[in-house]
């Protein structure tokens, strides 16, 4: 099945700086790569996603890049703000049954 | 996207008892739903795929006799944790796939077994 690795596990940045989180996946048949933000005790919230026919997608301060050949994708947050502090998860859908497999998560702390 | 309602949001039960968690897709007919478990400071781990009108598909290492899944209609899937023990204490969350539209998650259920 699909295996998703996420790095780093924790990330501390100064307000205004950029944050980058990287993920790799194993199943070359994966086509859908979402990124979620999760606050304590809450459901994951989709912040951006990308499909395999696109190499890059941007939404205001958030961007995602995908390299299908290398099987990795990254989340970029620019001009970070304290409210960006949360746990972020990447995921991939894999080949069978559209099951989402999640990365291990990155705890982001934006210091004022 | 779809609206997914999950109940209860939290539950405390005694060791040895059973707990039922409901996941309802309010405006989308869901032939498939996914159940995840999340321990503190860990990722979401897929437990099983709930299939409307047929048996659930369990991930490796998940006991099907302990985590009973019923998906009798296109709008409701239930997860029953049977003979719960403290190690079953976790955050359980369902997800409804919408094809090209992504996935919608329930609000999650915090289970504490004492």
């Amino acid at each position: 099945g699909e295996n998703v690795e996420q790095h780093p596990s924790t990330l501390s940045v100064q307000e205004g700086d950029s944050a980058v989180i990287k993920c790799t996946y194993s199943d070359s048949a994966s086509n859908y790569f979402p990124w979620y933000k999760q606050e304590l005790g809450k459901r994951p919230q989709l912040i951006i996603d990308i499909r395999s026919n696109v190499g890059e997608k941007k939404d205001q301060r958030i961007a995602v890049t995908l390299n299908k050949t290398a099987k990795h994708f990254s989340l970029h947050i620019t001009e970070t703000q304290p409210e960006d502090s949360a746990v972020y998860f990447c995921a991939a859908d894999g080949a069978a049954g559209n099951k989402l497999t999640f990365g291990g998560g990155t705890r982001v702390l934006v210091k004022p | 996207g779809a609206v997914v309602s999950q109940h209860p949001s939290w539950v405390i039960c005694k060791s040895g008892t059973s707990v039922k968690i409901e996941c309802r897709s309010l405006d989308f007919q869901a032939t498939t739903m996914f159940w995840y478990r999340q321990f503190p400071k860990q990722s979401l781990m897929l437990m099983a795929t709930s299939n409307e009108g047929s048996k659930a598909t369990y991930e490796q290492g998940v006991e099907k006799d302990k985590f009973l899944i019923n998906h009798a209609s296109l709008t409701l899937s239930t997860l029953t944790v049977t003979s719960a023990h403290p190690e079953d204490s976790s955050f359980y969350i369902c997800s409804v796939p919408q094809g090209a539209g992504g996935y919608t998650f329930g609000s999650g259920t915090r289970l504490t077994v004492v």
Side-chain angles (χ1 to χ4, degrees):
Chain A
E2 176 71 281
N3 183 47
V4 179
E5 300 283 341
Q6 183 172 345
H7 298 281
S9 56
T10 60
L11 180 60
S12 181
V13 297
Q14 208 63 41
E15 181 178 0
D17 288 349
S18 295
V20 180
I21 304 171
K22 298 182 178 181
C23 287
T24 60
Y25 61 98
S26 62
D27 192 337
S28 57
S30 289
N31 284 309
Y32 179 65
F33 307 91
W35 285 90
Y36 295 93
K37 177 182 182 182
Q38 188 183 31
E39 297 179 357
L40 191 62
K42 307 281 187 176
R43 77 185 85 193
Q45 287 184 299
L46 180 69
I47 55 171
I48 197 167
D49 57 13
I50 192 167
R51 297 189 182 275
S52 58
N53 58 345
V54 176
E56 184 174 357
K57 184 177 177 180
K58 188 175 182 180
D59 183 4
Q60 298 183 1
R61 297 186 296 111
I62 296 172
V64 57
T65 58
L66 171 65
N67 183 326
K68 281 220 74 177
T69 303
K71 290 191 281 189
H72 64 70
F73 56 114
S74 300
L75 177 71
H76 304 252
I77 307 174
T78 59
E79 300 172 32
T80 54
Q81 301 166 4
E83 51 264 38
D84 295 328
S85 297
V87 179
Y88 292 81
F89 291 98
C90 63
D93 65 348
N98 291 327
K99 298 185 292 186
L100 268 187
T101 299
F102 285 81
T106 298
R107 187 170 300 274
V108 174
L109 175 63
V110 180
K111 295 180 286 185
Chain B
V3 178
V4 176
S5 174
Q6 186 173 341
H7 293 281
S9 56
W10 61 270
V11 57
I12 301 173
C13 72
K14 291 185 177 180
S15 188
T17 62
S18 296
V19 172
K20 181 186 283 188
I21 302 169
E22 293 187 348
C23 181
R24 292 182 184 273
S25 178
L26 300 182
D27 58 355
F28 184 84
Q29 292 189 325
T31 56
T32 299
M33 293 187 185
F34 299 111
W35 285 97
Y36 290 86
R37 178 169 54 182
Q38 186 178 31
F39 291 109
K41 296 188 178 181
Q42 294 189 22
S43 186
L44 287 83
M45 298 301 294
L46 181 66
M47 298 176 66
T49 302
S50 174
N51 304 301
E52 188 265 336
S54 64
K55 292 182 179 180
T57 306
Y58 290 83
E59 295 300 302
Q60 192 172 6
V62 178
E63 299 174 60
K64 60 180 174 62
D65 294 330
K66 181 171 182 62
F67 298 99
L68 301 180
I69 291 173
N70 184 281
H71 193 155
S73 77
L74 289 171
T75 60
L76 174 65
S77 175
T78 61
L79 168 68
T80 301
V81 183
T82 63
S83 186
H85 291 285
E87 57 265 31
D88 298 322
S89 298
S90 188
F91 188 61
Y92 293 85
I93 190 164
C94 64
S95 171
V96 175
Q98 290 120 60
Y103 302 75
T104 298
F105 287 85
S107 53
T109 299
R110 172 77 53 197
L111 170 63
T112 302
V113 185
V114 297

